[in-house]
Coordinates of all heavy atoms in Angstrom, one line a residue:
E30 N 5.3 -2.6 -24.6 CA 4.5 -1.3 -24.7 C 4.9 -0.4 -23.5 O 5.1 -1.0 -22.4 CB 3.0 -1.6 -24.6 CG 2.4 -2.4 -25.8 CD 0.9 -2.7 -25.6 OE1 0.3 -1.9 -25.0 OE2 0.5 -3.8 -25.9
A32 N 3.5 3.4 -22.0 CA 2.7 4.6 -22.2 C 3.5 5.9 -21.7 O 4.2 5.8 -20.8 CB 1.4 4.6 -21.3
A35 N 4.2 4.3 -26.6 CA 3.5 3.2 -27.5 C 2.6 2.3 -26.7 O 3.0 1.6 -25.8 CB 4.7 2.2 -28.0
K36 N 1.3 2.6 -27.0 CA 0.3 2.0 -26.2 C -0.7 1.2 -27.1 O -1.2 1.8 -28.1 CB -0.3 3.0 -25.4 CG -1.6 2.5 -24.7 CD -2.1 3.4 -23.6 CE -3.5 3.1 -23.2 NZ -4.0 3.9 -22.0
V37 N -1.0 0.1 -26.7 CA -2.1 -0.7 -27.2 C -3.2 -0.9 -26.2 O -4.5 -0.6 -26.4 CB -1.7 -2.0 -27.9 CG1 -3.0 -2.8 -28.4 CG2 -0.8 -1.9 -29.1
G38 N -2.7 -1.3 -25.0 CA -3.6 -1.6 -23.9 C -3.2 -1.4 -22.5 O -2.1 -0.6 -22.3
G39 N -3.6 -2.1 -21.7 CA -3.2 -2.0 -20.2 C -1.8 -2.1 -20.0 O -1.2 -1.5 -19.0
L40 N -1.1 -3.0 -20.6 CA 0.2 -3.3 -20.5 C 1.1 -2.0 -20.5 O 2.0 -1.7 -19.7 CB 0.8 -4.2 -21.6 CG 2.4 -4.5 -21.6 CD1 2.9 -5.1 -20.3 CD2 2.7 -5.4 -22.8
A41 N 0.8 -1.2 -21.5 CA 1.5 0.2 -21.6 C 1.4 1.1 -20.5 O 2.2 1.6 -19.8 CB 1.0 0.9 -22.9
D42 N 0.1 1.1 -19.9 CA -0.1 1.9 -18.7 C 0.6 1.4 -17.5 O 1.1 2.2 -16.7 CB -1.8 1.7 -18.3 CG -2.6 2.5 -19.2 OD1 -2.2 3.4 -20.0 OD2 -3.8 2.0 -19.6
V43 N 0.8 0.1 -17.4 CA 1.5 -0.5 -16.2 C 3.0 -0.1 -16.4 O 3.5 0.4 -15.4 CB 1.4 -2.0 -16.3 CG1 2.4 -2.5 -15.2 CG2 0.0 -2.4 -15.9
I116 N 2.8 -1.5 -33.5 CA 3.5 -2.4 -32.5 C 3.3 -3.8 -32.7 O 4.3 -4.6 -32.6 CB 2.9 -2.0 -31.0 CG1 3.1 -0.5 -30.7 CG2 3.6 -2.9 -29.9 CD1 2.4 0.0 -29.5
Y117 N 2.0 -4.2 -32.9 CA 1.8 -5.6 -33.3 C 1.1 -5.7 -34.7 O 0.4 -4.7 -35.0 CB 0.8 -6.2 -32.3 CG 1.2 -6.0 -30.9 CD1 0.4 -5.3 -30.0 CD2 2.4 -6.6 -30.3 CE1 0.7 -5.2 -28.7 CE2 2.8 -6.3 -29.0 CZ 1.9 -5.6 -28.2 OH 2.3 -5.4 -26.8
R300 N -10.7 -2.8 -26.0 CA -10.3 -3.6 -27.2 C -11.5 -4.4 -27.6 O -12.0 -5.1 -26.6 CB -9.1 -4.4 -27.1 CG -7.9 -3.5 -26.7 CD -6.7 -4.5 -26.5 NE -6.7 -5.3 -25.4 CZ -6.7 -6.6 -25.4 NH1 -6.7 -7.3 -26.6 NH2 -6.7 -7.3 -24.3
F352 N -9.0 4.3 -31.9 CA -8.3 4.3 -30.6 C -8.1 5.8 -30.3 O -7.4 6.6 -31.2 CB -6.9 3.7 -30.7 CG -6.1 3.6 -29.3 CD1 -6.3 2.6 -28.4 CD2 -5.5 4.8 -28.9 CE1 -5.7 2.7 -27.2 CE2 -4.9 4.9 -27.6 CZ -5.1 3.8 -26.8
L378 N -8.3 -2.2 -16.2 CA -8.1 -0.8 -15.8 C -9.2 0.0 -15.9 O -9.5 1.1 -15.2 CB -6.8 -0.2 -16.5 CG -5.5 -0.8 -16.2 CD1 -4.4 -0.2 -17.2 CD2 -5.1 -0.8 -14.8

Side-chain angles (χ1 to χ4, degrees):
E30 295 179 37
K36 168 166 166 174
V37 175
L40 172 63
D42 289 329
V43 172
I116 301 174
Y117 311 119
R300 293 182 294 119
F352 187 95
L378 295 177

